[in-house]
PDB file of all heavy atoms in Angstrom:
ATOM      1  N   MET A   4     262.903  23.818  92.518  1.00 52.00           N
ATOM      2  CA  MET A   4     263.542  23.352  91.288  1.00 52.00           C
ATOM      3  C   MET A   4     263.397  24.384  90.175  1.00 52.00           C
ATOM      4  O   MET A   4     263.010  24.076  89.055  1.00 52.00           O
ATOM      5  CB  MET A   4     262.971  22.007  90.844  1.00 52.00           C
ATOM      6  CG  MET A   4     263.315  20.875  91.803  1.00 52.00           C
ATOM      7  SD  MET A   4     262.666  19.286  91.281  1.00 52.00           S
ATOM      8  CE  MET A   4     263.580  19.025  89.773  1.00 52.00           C
ATOM      9  N   GLY A   8     258.248  23.050  87.733  1.00 68.00           N
ATOM     10  CA  GLY A   8     258.151  22.026  88.764  1.00 68.00           C
ATOM     11  C   GLY A   8     257.192  22.424  89.849  1.00 68.00           C
ATOM     12  O   GLY A   8     256.403  23.363  89.713  1.00 68.00           O
ATOM     13  N   LEU A  18     254.641  14.792 100.022  1.00 84.00           N
ATOM     14  CA  LEU A  18     255.419  13.931 100.925  1.00 84.00           C
ATOM     15  C   LEU A  18     254.655  13.629 102.211  1.00 84.00           C
ATOM     16  O   LEU A  18     254.728  12.511 102.732  1.00 84.00           O
ATOM     17  CB  LEU A  18     256.765  14.574 101.239  1.00 84.00           C
ATOM     18  CG  LEU A  18     257.744  14.627 100.066  1.00 84.00           C
ATOM     19  CD1 LEU A  18     259.006  15.394 100.444  1.00 84.00           C
ATOM     20  CD2 LEU A  18     258.092  13.233  99.574  1.00 84.00           C
ATOM     21  N   LYS A  23     251.788   9.662 105.495  1.00 86.00           N
ATOM     22  CA  LYS A  23     250.581   9.231 106.220  1.00 86.00           C
ATOM     23  C   LYS A  23     250.073   7.900 105.688  1.00 86.00           C
ATOM     24  O   LYS A  23     249.646   7.033 106.448  1.00 86.00           O
ATOM     25  CB  LYS A  23     249.492  10.295 106.116  1.00 86.00           C
ATOM     26  CG  LYS A  23     249.759  11.505 106.974  1.00 86.00           C
ATOM     27  CD  LYS A  23     248.667  12.537 106.819  1.00 86.00           C
ATOM     28  CE  LYS A  23     248.945  13.769 107.653  1.00 86.00           C
ATOM     29  NZ  LYS A  23     247.897  14.801 107.464  1.00 86.00           N
ATOM     30  N   ALA A  26     252.441   5.173 106.938  1.00 80.00           N
ATOM     31  CA  ALA A  26     252.264   4.958 108.379  1.00 80.00           C
ATOM     32  C   ALA A  26     250.956   4.228 108.674  1.00 80.00           C
ATOM     33  O   ALA A  26     250.929   3.292 109.483  1.00 80.00           O
ATOM     34  CB  ALA A  26     252.297   6.294 109.113  1.00 80.00           C
ATOM     35  N   LEU A  42     249.111 -11.364  99.692  1.00 69.00           N
ATOM     36  CA  LEU A  42     247.845 -10.970  99.081  1.00 69.00           C
ATOM     37  C   LEU A  42     247.995 -10.302  97.724  1.00 69.00           C
ATOM     38  O   LEU A  42     247.126 -10.420  96.865  1.00 69.00           O
ATOM     39  CB  LEU A  42     247.085 -10.017 100.014  1.00 69.00           C
ATOM     40  CG  LEU A  42     246.590 -10.628 101.317  1.00 69.00           C
ATOM     41  CD1 LEU A  42     245.962  -9.557 102.196  1.00 69.00           C
ATOM     42  CD2 LEU A  42     245.582 -11.728 101.022  1.00 69.00           C
ATOM     43  N   VAL A  51     264.593  -6.168  98.397  1.00 61.00           N
ATOM     44  CA  VAL A  51     265.547  -6.036  99.494  1.00 61.00           C
ATOM     45  C   VAL A  51     266.240  -7.354  99.819  1.00 61.00           C
ATOM     46  O   VAL A  51     267.018  -7.427 100.732  1.00 61.00           O
ATOM     47  CB  VAL A  51     264.891  -5.443 100.767  1.00 61.00           C
ATOM     48  CG1 VAL A  51     264.471  -4.018 100.530  1.00 61.00           C
ATOM     49  CG2 VAL A  51     263.723  -6.281 101.217  1.00 61.00           C
ATOM     50  N   ASN A  53     268.136  -8.813  97.556  1.00 75.00           N
ATOM     51  CA  ASN A  53     269.272  -8.900  96.648  1.00 75.00           C
ATOM     52  C   ASN A  53     270.090  -7.613  96.742  1.00 75.00           C
ATOM     53  O   ASN A  53     269.665  -6.565  96.270  1.00 75.00           O
ATOM     54  CB  ASN A  53     268.741  -9.110  95.227  1.00 75.00           C
ATOM     55  CG  ASN A  53     269.826  -9.254  94.203  1.00 75.00           C
ATOM     56  OD1 ASN A  53     270.844  -8.561  94.233  1.00 75.00           O
ATOM     57  ND2 ASN A  53     269.617 -10.145  93.263  1.00 75.00           N
ATOM     58  N   ARG A  85     279.360  12.893  99.462  1.00 94.00           N
ATOM     59  CA  ARG A  85     280.025  12.243 100.590  1.00 94.00           C
ATOM     60  C   ARG A  85     279.331  10.944 100.997  1.00 94.00           C
ATOM     61  O   ARG A  85     279.988   9.960 101.332  1.00 94.00           O
ATOM     62  CB  ARG A  85     280.071  13.187 101.802  1.00 94.00           C
ATOM     63  CG  ARG A  85     281.390  13.824 102.031  1.00 94.00           C
ATOM     64  CD  ARG A  85     281.551  14.510 103.375  1.00 94.00           C
ATOM     65  NE  ARG A  85     280.367  14.995 104.037  1.00 94.00           N
ATOM     66  CZ  ARG A  85     279.859  16.231 103.926  1.00 94.00           C
ATOM     67  NH1 ARG A  85     280.435  17.108 103.144  1.00 94.00           N
ATOM     68  NH2 ARG A  85     278.788  16.582 104.588  1.00 94.00           N
ATOM     69  N   ASN A  89     278.942   4.964 100.263  1.00 92.00           N
ATOM     70  CA  ASN A  89     278.594   3.962 101.288  1.00 92.00           C
ATOM     71  C   ASN A  89     277.101   3.810 101.525  1.00 92.00           C
ATOM     72  O   ASN A  89     276.694   3.051 102.396  1.00 92.00           O
ATOM     73  CB  ASN A  89     279.282   4.324 102.609  1.00 92.00           C
ATOM     74  CG  ASN A  89     280.779   4.271 102.477  1.00 92.00           C
ATOM     75  OD1 ASN A  89     281.330   3.299 101.964  1.00 92.00           O
ATOM     76  ND2 ASN A  89     281.451   5.322 102.898  1.00 92.00           N
ATOM     77  N   LYS A  99     268.280  -4.845 106.748  1.00 66.00           N
ATOM     78  CA  LYS A  99     268.388  -6.296 106.872  1.00 66.00           C
ATOM     79  C   LYS A  99     268.813  -6.677 108.286  1.00 66.00           C
ATOM     80  O   LYS A  99     269.587  -7.593 108.492  1.00 66.00           O
ATOM     81  CB  LYS A  99     269.386  -6.862 105.857  1.00 66.00           C
ATOM     82  CG  LYS A  99     269.005  -6.645 104.410  1.00 66.00           C
ATOM     83  CD  LYS A  99     267.639  -7.196 104.065  1.00 66.00           C
ATOM     84  CE  LYS A  99     267.652  -8.678 104.025  1.00 66.00           C
ATOM     85  NZ  LYS A  99     266.323  -9.237 103.706  1.00 66.00           N
ATOM     86  N   GLY A 114     254.925   0.185  97.063  1.00 47.00           N
ATOM     87  CA  GLY A 114     256.352   0.386  97.176  1.00 47.00           C
ATOM     88  C   GLY A 114     256.983   1.300  96.158  1.00 47.00           C
ATOM     89  O   GLY A 114     258.163   1.566  96.233  1.00 47.00           O
TER      90      GLY A 114
END
Side-chain angles (χ1 to χ4, degrees):
M4 293 181 65
L18 291 175
K23 286 179 181 178
L42 293 175
V51 294
N53 182 320
R85 257 193 334 268
N89 297 311
K99 298 304 288 179

